Amino acid sequence: MKTKEACLRKRRIVVVGGGTGLSVMLRGLKELPIEITAIVTVADDGGSSGRIRNDLQMPPPGDIRNVMVALGDTEPLLEQVLQYRFRNGNGLAGHNLGNLMLAALKDITGDFNHAIQYMSRVLAVRGQVLPSTGEEVSLCAVMEDGRVVEGESRIPKAGGRIRRVFLKPKVAHPLPEALQAIEAADGIIIGPGSLYTSILPNLLVKGMADAIRKSKAKKIYICNIMTQAGETDHYTAADHVIAIQDHVGENFFDVVIVNKEIPPASIQKRYALEGSCMVRTDMERLKRFGCQVIADDLTQFQKVVRHDAAKLNRWVRRLVQA
């Protein structure tokens, strides 16, 4: 039975992932009366993040920056500045200003996590943002044909089906604050985001999956709406869950949330040109996992397909009783 104190306090939600999907969801979650901790992947090696990583031997800041902007309480112009990407300049073209700011703060403070906390104060971030590990890691994939591909940005371009992914070095340690947040959580949300390159890199950090499994929190997986070319070609919702279980073990989730709304034909055609299609909701296979399956119309159709953050918020609030 819940104590009066437990009923009165805000629910604690830990969100694990990276990429655009995570940021979209967090923009909605921050409006709820909850305490948010975002645990974010640091396996990126492409673009501005990859260049900063290689030049300064620090974790890539891009996914962290996106999450902080999503959770920040800032003026629209400041958000534009932080997301600004230089188009010209010798050595500057292609760099993102927010990434450079995080790199500067890391150099000043001597610690990447301290840099995140200082920038979080500047942005009035509603919650806590943590890298999944403070160590420099690379993501590697073993393909079905036996090839090993190293580098998060190279994996989707490798061609062929991914058998499994792993981190290099194989032992990377999580931040103590991340483990503490997981232990104290009322709900843990994994996804949405790129299956192999945004979600699994977090779960492969030593002790992370075990901590999530042991937590008394409700574990919720939010499946992607569309497949990702070169990464989850023709995957159904059940295929996404199976891929995670293959890496961290069975019975990992209490709830799986999937979209059942079919995008307009014009949008499907546009995605098909990029080798992507809707993730099919194969309910019969999903039910075999022994977890609650929620299928709802969860899409917003603009230039791209995104999750409807408001609908996700309602489900999250209901599931964790926030």
Side-chain angles (χ1 to χ4, degrees):
M1 188 174 179
K2 292 182 180 178
T3 64
K4 183 178 179 181
E5 181 182 354
C7 291
L8 289 174
R9 70 168 174 80
K10 290 182 178 179
R11 303 290 94 178
R12 301 185 183 111
I13 305 295
V14 172
V15 184
V16 181
T20 305
L22 180 65
S23 297
V24 169
M25 187 181 66
L26 288 172
R27 287 182 185 277
L29 280 182
K30 73 179 181 182
E31 304 301 331
L32 298 182
I34 59 176
E35 295 180 11
I36 300 173
T37 297
I39 299 175
V40 187
T41 179
V42 285
D44 188 10
D45 66 346
S48 171
S49 284
R51 289 164 61 189
I52 289 173
R53 168 184 176 148
N54 293 332
D55 291 345
L56 303 179
Q57 285 74 56
M58 62 173 279
D63 283 310
I64 295 282
R65 180 203 79 241
N66 279 328
V67 167
M68 285 196 293
V69 169
L71 286 174
D73 189 9
T74 59
E75 294 293 329
L77 182 58
L78 178 56
E79 180 174 332
Q80 282 185 280
V81 170
L82 291 166
Q83 298 287 46
Y84 180 76
R85 193 173 300 276
F86 291 94
R87 298 182 181 88
N88 302 295
N90 185 21
L92 193 59
H95 269 306
N96 176 282
L97 182 57
N99 288 351
L100 295 175
M101 289 175 65
L102 274 169
L105 281 168
K106 188 266 179 186
D107 198 37
I108 292 168
T109 64
D111 180 81
F112 185 53
N113 192 37
H114 287 165
I116 295 168
Q117 305 318 312
Y118 278 112
M119 193 158 167
S120 293
R121 292 179 204 168
V122 172
L123 299 179
V125 167
R126 301 187 193 181
Q128 181 178 215
V129 180
L130 300 170
S132 55
T133 179
E135 300 165 26
E136 188 173 342
V137 294
S138 295
L139 183 67
C140 302
V142 180
M143 312 302 290
E144 286 288 354
D145 60 10
R147 287 177 298 140
V148 176
V149 181
E150 182 173 350
E152 182 267 348
S153 63
R154 297 183 181 92
I155 292 171
K157 301 173 184 176
R161 194 175 178 90
I162 299 169
R163 182 186 301 165
R164 65 182 178 89
V165 291
F166 63 94
L167 295 180
K168 184 180 179 181
K170 290 189 176 181
V171 178
H173 299 89
L175 270 64
E177 297 95 324
L179 298 180
Q180 291 163 9
I182 289 169
E183 183 179 7
D186 297 293
I188 299 172
I189 301 172
I190 297 174
S194 299
L195 175 62
Y196 289 104
T197 55
S198 290
I199 291 175
L200 280 169
N202 296 295
L203 302 181
L204 293 174
V205 172
K206 183 177 175 61
M208 188 74 76
D210 287 340
I212 292 172
R213 189 183 294 279
K214 292 175 183 176
S215 173
K216 296 178 181 178
K218 182 156 288 187
K219 293 95 174 177
I220 304 164
Y221 174 58
I222 300 176
C223 188
N224 291 346
I225 296 171
M226 307 297 291
T227 63
Q228 184 171 346
E231 188 165 337
T232 55
D233 296 311
H234 308 296
Y235 271 38
T236 66
D239 291 331
H240 283 73
V241 177
I242 289 169
I244 295 173
Q245 290 185 347
D246 285 346
H247 287 78
V248 302
E250 297 181 353
N251 304 315
F252 195 66
F253 300 114
D254 299 309
V255 183
V256 175
I257 299 178
V258 294
N259 169 64
K260 66 175 184 178
E261 187 173 8
I262 299 174
S266 59
I267 291 180
Q268 291 193 59
K269 287 179 181 177
R270 190 188 314 153
Y271 272 87
L273 293 173
E274 301 173 0
S276 179
C277 64
M278 178 183 171
V279 173
R280 186 165 55 86
T281 305
D282 44 352
M283 291 294 292
E284 292 305 314
R285 290 179 69 204
L286 286 169
K287 289 175 181 176
R288 296 174 193 168
F289 299 129
C291 56
Q292 180 184 358
V293 180
I294 295 170
D296 196 1
D297 295 341
L298 297 173
T299 53
Q300 284 187 330
F301 307 121
Q302 298 172 357
K303 290 183 179 180
V304 293
V305 177
R306 294 279 184 256
H307 276 93
D308 187 321
K311 287 186 177 180
L312 282 180
N313 288 349
R314 286 196 289 271
W315 279 116
V316 170
R317 194 167 189 173
R318 192 177 307 172
L319 289 166
V320 301
Q321 300 176 351

